[in-house]
Amino acid sequence: VIGHPKYQESKRIAIFLSMPDEIQTEEIIKDIFKQGKECFIPRYKPHSNHMDMLKLSSAEDISSLTLTSWNILQPSDDDSVREEALAGGGLDLIFMPGLGFDKKGNRLGRGKGYYDTYLERCMKHPSGKPYTIALAFREQICESVPVAENDVEVDEILYEDC
């Protein structure tokens, strides 16, 4: 990931905070800050498909986040001091999680459409749609995954031996 050309050229990067069954992103987050890039993480709104990408001030800032009912760390609902990526300069790159992927770029998420809805919002931002990279285990690559008309394909899927 760290040697990837899209990562190298990106300045504003959104990345998920890993759940135990996902590719672990902690070292990538540390490198984002080491490289002097800006790091944004998701804040999901429960009972909706709305998600914002809020700026982290440092890798250590993660310890200040609250744990949701889904066991995901994220900025609290009343945190209004963090920059939302689309309120500023947009994003260059989004690293995305998922449950399954196919080689055509289709992604099976957790069913709420958070990333698809967010990418639709990105397309309306002056900086446009960021490049998207899904981080996966080889076992998550399938022949095909079910898709709906509002699903947005990922630009690239990185997994072992790809």
Side-chain angles (χ1 to χ4, degrees), residues 133-148:
I133 298 177
L135 301 177
F137 295 107
R138 185 181 32 207
E139 294 80 6
Q140 291 176 289
I141 308 303
C142 308
E143 196 60 46
S144 69
V145 295
V147 292

Side-chain angles (χ1 to χ4, degrees), residues 96-102 104-111 113-116 119 134 145-147 151-154 157:
M96 300 170 65
L99 298 177
F101 308 91
D102 66 28
K104 293 184 227 104
N106 294 309
R107 173 185 160 273
L108 181 66
R110 296 186 184 265
Y114 287 110
Y115 279 90
D116 300 310
L119 287 168
V145 295
V147 292
D151 288 347
V152 180
E153 291 178 356
V154 296
I157 302 161

Side-chain angles (χ1 to χ4, degrees), residues 21 103 116 146:
D21 62 345
K103 290 186 177 175
D116 300 310

Side-chain angles (χ1 to χ4, degrees), residues 49-65:
N49 64 356
H50 187 86
M51 173 178 77
D52 290 317
M53 291 291 184
L54 300 180
K55 190 173 185 177
L56 275 181
S57 58
S58 67
E60 296 73 33
D61 189 15
I62 294 170
S63 64
S64 73
L65 303 175

Side-chain angles (χ1 to χ4, degrees), residues 19-145:
M19 295 173 66
D21 62 345
E22 294 174 329
I23 295 289
Q24 297 302 295
T25 58
E26 185 178 342
E27 293 303 317
I28 301 168
I29 292 168
K30 286 178 184 173
D31 191 74
I32 290 171
F33 287 104
K34 184 176 150 201
Q35 300 289 333
K37 301 172 185 290
E38 293 177 274
C39 184
F40 296 83
I41 58 165
R43 177 172 67 188
Y44 307 92
K45 285 216 176 15
H47 316 298
S48 77
N49 64 356
H50 187 86
M51 173 178 77
D52 290 317
M53 291 291 184
L54 300 180
K55 190 173 185 177
L56 275 181
S57 58
S58 67
E60 296 73 33
D61 189 15
I62 294 170
S63 64
S64 73
L65 303 175
T66 54
L67 201 59
T68 68
S69 58
W70 298 333
N71 269 345
I72 297 173
L73 286 170
Q74 69 177 25
S76 64
D77 289 339
D78 59 1
D79 185 335
S80 58
V81 297
R82 294 178 190 273
E83 176 192 341
E84 202 293 316
L86 296 181
L91 291 165
D92 302 317
L93 173 63
I94 298 180
F95 286 109
M96 300 170 65
L99 298 177
F101 308 91
D102 66 28
K103 290 186 177 175
K104 293 184 227 104
N106 294 309
R107 173 185 160 273
L108 181 66
R110 296 186 184 265
K112 298 281 189 189
Y114 287 110
Y115 279 90
D116 300 310
T117 304
Y118 192 78
L119 287 168
E120 289 291 330
R121 287 172 49 211
C122 288
M123 289 178 210
K124 296 176 179 134
H125 189 273
S127 66
K129 180 188 168 290
Y131 194 79
T132 54
I133 298 177
L135 301 177
F137 295 107
R138 185 181 32 207
E139 294 80 6
Q140 291 176 289
I141 308 303
C142 308
E143 196 60 46
S144 69
V145 295

